Amino acid sequence: VVINQLEPTDARETLGVMQSADGDETAQVTKMISKIDKWKDNIWKSSITRTQARIAIEARAALDAQSQCRRPEWRLTPGSACRERAEH
């Protein structure tokens, strides 16, 4: 059995989740955004109505905005929705 030594910043997929020893979630966020973009493309090509597709994509955008608020660099951006929510 070969055990590879990784840097703390190197993410690897474990049980379907991208994890790194330093706790950085960038790799997981990137993976999820890629899956969401693929889903969005499939929604537009499907047989559902244009209105149903728009509702599905807007719901995805709302979830995406919530996940960005968990990232420290987004919380500190002036005028961001994350900062506005934190101030209220």
Side-chain angles (χ1 to χ4, degrees), residues 17-18 24 30 32 36 41 45 50 68 78:
V17 177
M18 297 296 290
D24 184 15
T30 301
M32 294 304 298
I36 290 168
D41 293 340
K45 296 174 189 174
R50 196 165 183 80
Q68 289 174 347

Side-chain angles (χ1 to χ4, degrees), residues 61-75:
L63 290 174
D64 193 29
Q66 287 176 355
S67 71
Q68 289 174 347
C69 289
R70 294 187 186 131
R71 298 174 69 187
E73 64 271 20
W74 284 86
R75 283 187 224 136

Side-chain angles (χ1 to χ4, degrees), residues 35-65:
K35 284 185 172 188
I36 290 168
D37 286 340
K38 183 178 177 183
W39 174 84
K40 179 186 69 171
D41 293 340
N42 289 333
I43 285 288
W44 278 120
K45 296 174 189 174
S46 71
S47 62
I48 65 174
T49 67
R50 196 165 183 80
T51 302
Q52 291 169 328
R54 172 61 54 202
I55 291 168
I57 291 170
E58 287 174 356
R60 173 262 177 186
L63 290 174
D64 193 29

